[in-house]
Amino acid sequence: MPLINKLILGTVQMGIPYGVNNKAGQIPESESLNILRLARESGIDTLDSAEAYGSAHQIIGGYNRENQKKPFNVITKISGGINNHTVEEKLQTFLRELHLEKLDGLMFHSFGAYQEYLHLMDRLSLIKEKGVFRQLGVSVYNNEEIATLIDDDRVDFVQLPFNLLDNISQRGEMIERAKEKRKAIHTRSTFLQGLFFMETTSKHRITEALAPQLLRIRELALEESVSINTLALGYCLAQENIDNVLIGVDSVTQLKKNLEAASFVLSKDTMNSINSLIVKNKALLNPSLWG
């Protein structure tokens, strides 16, 4: 599989301001549409969205309406406020907003949401059989959550954090176990919400705490003669057990850089060096705990 085909484009910044290193705020609609056009032309055919992402559904729907011969596949998330009687109506609303006949994936926005709506899983399986969506997934944060999901045959894919620091040393064993259970693996947080691009001297408590590892990442990028962007994306795309890698961008220029990075293959030595990066305090790798 060409590596670009493994990319899924996130749309959160098209609907709301997002990211620790995001100084520009929400992407203007015109730029969002330009990003979508370039992504589709370049071989990216799947978007990640959510009802919680502000106007993202409407922007995607506008693109799909104008490009009915080559619309995007969409994976979207449910946050709450549903029951056995209203869930299918909710999904039909998503389809209308996205201008699609079928969702590529439906995902619980968190492990907590999955637990809260366990009583809906059989209902969702029936809706899936009707062709409303192709796969059911759950977004998770830690290995304990993945372990709980592994034996639920109704869950088709798991979306988990994976990057230069939240790496094979942290996730490898659990990813292998999930693949053995025929779960597809989607990863997010490729750039740790932009943290990899921040200066270690910045007055941000997480960059200060991770300064040794962030400096080592810069050294590895220099040794490989690539940008940090290429190092981070190349590492994730190179993993055979990872089916799809989610990225977010805030401009056409940034998307072009990611597309270039996706074609670069890192050396085995560099991959091994990244695998050896260890962060003992797992909370430092979880943006939801940064405060």
Side-chain angles (χ1 to χ4, degrees):
M1 173 192 288
L3 295 182
I4 285 177
N5 289 357
K6 291 178 72 168
L7 292 176
I8 292 175
L9 182 64
T11 62
V12 58
Q13 288 164 275
M14 296 180 186
I16 57 174
Y18 180 80
V20 67
N21 199 33
N22 176 13
K23 299 179 177 63
Q26 184 179 337
I27 306 168
E29 183 174 351
S30 59
E31 183 74 353
S32 293
L33 291 171
N34 287 334
I35 290 169
L36 293 176
R37 290 187 194 102
L38 176 60
R40 198 69 182 89
E41 291 166 4
S42 302
I44 298 174
D45 63 9
T46 304
L47 303 176
D48 173 274
S49 195
E51 63 175 330
Y53 293 174
S55 58
H57 272 192
Q58 286 72 26
I59 290 169
I60 298 166
Y63 175 90
N64 282 342
R65 187 168 53 251
E66 297 299 319
N67 297 272
Q68 294 184 37
K69 291 184 179 179
K70 288 185 70 175
F72 276 101
N73 300 319
V74 178
I75 298 168
T76 195
K77 308 175 195 73
I78 42 178
S79 300
I82 52 173
N83 57 47
N84 270 307
H85 303 292
T86 62
V87 63
E88 187 165 3
E89 181 182 339
K90 169 78 77 173
L91 299 185
Q92 291 299 334
T93 299
F94 290 172
L95 291 174
R96 287 192 295 272
E97 291 174 345
L98 295 164
H99 208 78
L100 289 171
E101 294 182 358
K102 181 177 185 175
L103 293 169
D104 189 62
L106 179 68
M107 183 161 54
F108 286 104
H109 217 143
S110 67
F111 182 74
Y114 160 78
Q115 288 184 307
E116 181 181 354
Y117 292 107
L118 268 175
H119 63 284
L120 286 182
M121 291 297 284
D122 290 336
R123 173 68 175 144
L124 286 170
S125 295
L126 290 173
I127 296 171
K128 175 185 164 185
E129 287 177 11
K130 290 169 64 175
V132 177
F133 63 94
R134 187 176 69 85
Q135 287 189 311
L136 183 64
V138 183
S139 176
V140 300
Y141 275 108
N142 57 54
N143 290 345
E144 290 74 24
E145 292 174 352
I146 301 169
T148 302
L149 291 171
I150 280 176
D151 291 321
D152 190 339
D153 292 334
R154 299 166 297 187
V155 175
D156 302 300
F157 71 97
V158 179
Q159 188 198 82
L160 56 110
F162 188 87
N163 53 60
L164 296 171
L165 297 182
D166 212 343
N167 53 26
I168 283 293
S169 68
Q170 307 273 9
R171 304 288 183 189
E173 181 183 352
M174 196 54 63
I175 288 175
E176 286 186 13
R177 285 179 57 190
K179 293 300 289 185
E180 287 171 0
K181 291 288 188 173
R182 298 183 178 179
K183 310 292 186 195
I185 301 296
H186 297 192
T187 65
R188 67 176 186 276
S189 202
T190 305
F191 308 114
L192 201 53
Q193 282 200 17
L195 193 80
F196 295 148
F197 307 115
M198 294 175 67
E199 294 297 327
T200 54
T201 54
S202 66
K203 293 181 179 179
H204 188 284
R205 69 179 185 86
I206 304 300
T207 58
E208 290 175 352
L210 292 173
Q213 291 88 350
L214 293 174
L215 288 170
R216 180 58 182 145
I217 285 170
R218 282 162 171 71
E219 289 174 359
L220 288 171
L222 286 171
E223 291 169 11
E224 189 75 69
S225 298
V226 297
S227 65
I228 291 173
N229 190 85
T230 298
L231 190 76
L233 187 53
Y235 177 71
C236 296
L237 289 172
Q239 308 299 327
E240 291 184 2
N241 280 336
I242 290 175
D243 298 279
N244 293 102
V245 175
L246 173 66
I247 59 167
V249 302
D250 56 26
S251 67
V252 166
T253 300
Q254 200 173 79
L255 176 57
K256 287 178 179 177
K257 288 180 180 178
N258 283 323
L259 291 169
E260 291 172 7
S263 63
F264 189 89
V265 179
L266 300 177
S267 69
K268 191 172 183 178
D269 285 346
T270 296
M271 293 289 291
N272 289 336
S273 294
I274 296 168
N275 290 340
S276 68
L277 290 171
I278 304 292
V279 176
K280 292 182 179 179
N281 183 355
K282 306 292 191 296
L284 295 173
L285 302 176
N286 187 344
S288 71
L289 301 178
W290 288 353

